[in-house]
Amino acid sequence: MKKTVATMQISFETADQPDVRALIAELDAYLYSLFPAENVYALDVSSLTQPNVLFAVARANDGAALGCAAIVVTPAYGEVKRMYVRPAARGQGAARRLLETLELRARAEGCTALMLETGPTMPEALALYERLGYKYRGPFGDYPDDPLSVFMAKALA
């Protein structure tokens, strides 16, 4: 049975909570089922607790963690990382609300552009990013040009 997320809460939290670690473990299992290890560019929990990381969690009314996402803020851009919504909560706006909340905070902190890397076998993620104004682009940062990576960007300014 799907939990309704119409009244879910999105808040900035730390990634080192047990229920959030469980979300991240689910995301890792999902990614490693789709891609070879060398094509999974995941940040660990320790990296997600750094001061330059904005980390948001979507929670149901009962406090259950439904999803999470992060933006790593650098001087040049912010990078969307660790975007995940539990299967039972998908299709109800949690991912969109997480990303919109993160974008607002990143913009408020002076971030003018967002970048992301995702996989070509994740059509729901690609469709979400497209709906929210992300445009396809080439590799950025240290990412190699690889057929198992899709790169997108969005201007915030």
Side-chain angles (χ1 to χ4, degrees):
M1 170 181 269
K2 285 192 174 190
K3 287 180 183 271
T4 180
V5 295
T7 57
M8 74 178 150
Q9 301 299 313
I10 308 285
S11 59
F12 290 92
E13 301 183 21
T14 62
D16 58 358
Q17 303 171 76
D19 59 346
V20 175
R21 283 180 182 269
L23 278 174
I24 293 168
E26 288 174 30
L27 172 57
D28 287 344
Y30 177 63
L31 292 174
Y32 286 107
S33 77
L34 294 175
F35 306 105
E38 64 269 16
N39 290 96
V40 176
Y41 304 103
L43 295 179
D44 62 16
V45 171
S46 175
S47 297
L48 293 170
T49 61
Q50 298 305 304
N52 67 319
V53 176
L54 306 174
F55 189 82
V57 178
R59 292 187 180 275
N61 284 339
D62 65 1
L66 302 172
C68 62
I71 293 178
V72 178
V73 179
T74 72
Y77 55 83
E79 182 179 358
V80 177
K81 300 292 286 184
R82 306 311 259 160
M83 184 78 173
Y84 180 70
V85 175
R86 286 196 159 123
R90 292 181 187 163
Q92 300 177 54
R96 177 187 51 77
R97 288 197 48 208
L98 276 163
L99 199 49
E100 288 173 346
T101 299
L102 283 163
E103 288 175 359
L104 285 171
R105 175 68 69 87
R107 184 182 292 117
E109 293 195 10
C111 191
T112 60
L114 293 178
M115 308 280 197
L116 64 86
E117 181 273 342
T118 190
T121 58
M122 302 174 80
E124 297 85 1
L126 293 169
L128 170 73
Y129 296 135
E130 286 178 16
R131 280 193 309 273
L132 292 177
Y134 287 77
K135 306 292 183 205
Y136 292 94
R137 58 156 293 138
F140 63 92
D142 294 332
Y143 290 105
D145 191 1
D146 187 291
L148 293 179
S149 288
V150 174
F151 303 96
M152 301 178 89
K154 178 179 181 177
L156 292 181

